[in-house]
Amino acid sequence: MNKQITERIFETSNIPAELLTEKPEFPKKVKIEVTSRCDLNCFFCSRTYKNIKKGDIDKKLLFRIICEMKDLDVKEIGLFWLGEPLLVKELPAYIEFTKKTGIDYVFITTNGRLANPQKIKELFNSGLDSIKFSINSGDRKQYYKVCGVDAFDKVISNVRFAYQCRGDNKRPAIYASTIFDLDNRNDFDKVHGLIGSYVDQHYPLRLYGQYTFTEEEEERFKLANDKVVQRRTLESMLPCWSLFTEPHISFDGYMSACYCDHDEKFYMGNLNEMSLIEAWQSKKFMSLRKSHLSKDVKGQVCENCIAYKH
């Protein structure tokens, strides 16, 4: 399990041929939202400008789902989705349970504001396999503008402490990502200069649907991603990987077809009332996959996807 994070992203976002069916086998990787709450207000995140339900996952529901996933031979579980997982005080205990259940790889993504030394030590002692810090601006002023909170210096400090806390150990892996904005191309380099030697990999992320990298940028950042074009459209990105390779489960127990939008219209099954495999193979989910496979989602919930411009 020594893959870099971009390798894992590549495997998830590039659908294997055998899964391109209306009824694929249950994936080996799942994300479970332990909370929909967040302590930032990033302008690009759907939870910032949509009135979503806020709450934390029920412990009994979480543990039942994790045990089901083990039975389905799931190998990787991310204990986060659109919310900030470090807001959940039970997170270290949830990670420990997941590892003891026999899941090979347990990971989280955090904005890092709450990743203080005490929290980092708790997480690292829980058996966590990797932690990724999302740092989406190149300096304090821009960070406040993008995220709505003055926390840039604190996040940088927390990343550096995490590296020091790990010491000579190989786990957890420590990663970081920074949004690559065409209007602020230097932000990535600024962040990299501050934390590049404190993480195992620092990589750029694109804003939803704005553009892909030029060939020169693609080579520079050694990205494992989709083909290089100057503008992505919804049609060019169908079928979407989220329907085939990685289900996302909301804190209140719904399996979603979407990875970037918390809207209930994307919910394909209620795990409070059905099993994981029943939700994954529900008629609603299979119908949506059929539309994706035909590259025509008109009239479907994905028609006005927020991730891609038309």
Side-chain angles (χ1 to χ4, degrees):
M1 304 294 285
N2 294 321
K3 302 172 186 174
Q4 289 278 46
I5 190 169
T6 48
E7 293 180 80
R8 296 179 186 278
I9 294 171
F10 179 85
E11 291 178 352
T12 301
S13 58
N14 288 267
I15 310 167
E18 63 270 20
L19 297 184
L20 288 171
T21 172
E22 295 173 28
K23 196 176 181 180
E25 66 178 31
F26 197 83
K28 302 300 182 185
K29 180 178 181 180
V30 182
K31 285 180 182 172
I32 307 173
E33 180 180 61
V34 292
T35 184
S36 63
R37 298 179 293 131
C38 191
D39 54 330
L40 301 186
N41 292 293
C42 302
F43 78 88
F44 53 82
C45 182
S46 65
R47 64 163 305 286
T48 297
Y49 55 86
K50 287 193 173 185
N51 184 24
I52 68 168
K53 185 178 179 182
K54 295 180 177 65
D56 298 351
I57 198 165
D58 176 76
K59 177 180 176 180
K60 290 183 179 179
L61 173 64
L62 173 64
F63 285 9
R64 192 209 90 201
I65 291 172
I66 290 171
C67 290
E68 275 193 55
M69 289 180 181
K70 176 59 179 175
D71 291 339
L72 289 169
D73 199 31
V74 171
K75 302 296 185 184
E76 303 180 26
I77 293 180
L79 291 175
F80 70 98
W81 184 12
L82 296 180
E84 170 51 51
L86 269 61
L87 285 168
V88 179
K89 64 179 182 179
E90 300 89 354
L91 181 61
Y94 291 168
I95 294 169
E96 184 176 359
F97 177 85
T98 308
K99 291 299 295 182
K100 286 184 176 180
T101 302
I103 302 302
D104 292 343
Y105 190 83
V106 182
F107 62 104
I108 62 171
T109 285
T110 175
N111 61 51
R113 191 180 76 87
L114 301 176
N116 57 55
Q118 179 181 347
K119 180 63 70 174
I120 285 294
K121 290 176 182 178
E122 292 174 354
L123 291 171
F124 285 16
N125 290 332
S126 69
L128 184 67
D129 291 293
S130 79
I131 181 171
K132 190 196 84 169
F133 293 86
S134 291
I135 309 171
N136 294 319
S137 295
D139 56 48
R140 182 180 177 183
K141 181 178 179 180
Q142 187 66 13
Y143 188 95
Y144 181 79
K145 181 179 179 181
V146 170
C147 303
V149 176
D150 182 8
F152 181 79
D153 293 341
K154 180 183 291 186
V155 171
I156 297 300
S157 176
N158 288 343
V159 172
R160 292 176 174 179
F161 176 82
Y163 176 80
Q164 294 166 359
C165 182
R166 186 180 68 176
D168 295 329
N169 298 318
K170 295 182 178 180
R171 285 288 181 272
I174 302 174
Y175 301 119
S177 66
T178 300
I179 282 182
F180 187 90
D181 188 341
L182 284 176
D183 296 326
N184 297 285
R185 289 172 176 263
N186 294 327
D187 277 3
F188 180 87
D189 293 329
K190 289 179 182 178
V191 175
H192 192 77
L194 294 170
I195 55 96
S197 59
Y198 295 90
V199 298
D200 299 307
Q201 188 177 23
H202 177 217
Y203 66 101
L205 285 178
R206 295 167 293 191
L207 284 171
Y208 296 145
Q210 280 197 348
Y211 55 86
T212 60
F213 295 99
T214 66
E215 292 183 13
E216 180 180 347
E217 291 164 344
E218 192 88 2
E219 175 60 26
R220 174 188 171 196
F221 295 126
K222 300 186 184 306
L223 294 176
N225 217 317
D226 43 61
K227 62 184 180 180
V228 179
V229 292
Q230 289 305 303
R231 288 284 170 178
R232 293 192 295 178
T233 64
L234 174 59
E235 291 76 14
S236 71
M237 300 304 293
L238 297 177
C240 177
W241 56 267
S242 186
L243 282 71
F244 298 87
T245 63
E246 185 183 70
H248 292 71
I249 298 170
S250 68
F251 81 93
D252 49 353
Y254 291 86
M255 183 179 291
S256 177
C258 189
Y259 72 94
C260 63
D261 195 337
H262 216 293
D263 199 306
E264 293 180 3
K265 68 183 180 182
F266 294 105
Y267 291 173
M268 299 289 112
N270 183 356
L271 299 178
N272 296 286
E273 301 174 352
M274 62 178 66
S275 68
L276 286 165
I277 197 66
E278 288 173 332
W280 183 249
Q281 297 179 350
S282 65
K283 291 182 179 180
K284 188 176 182 181
F285 219 155
M286 291 173 63
S287 174
L288 185 58
R289 291 194 191 101
K290 183 177 181 179
S291 297
H292 274 246
L293 290 167
S294 67
K295 293 185 177 294
D296 183 4
V297 293
K298 291 179 181 178
Q300 290 280 10
V301 293
C302 300
E303 182 176 8
N304 296 308
C305 177
I306 66 171
Y308 305 107
K309 293 182 178 180
H310 292 258

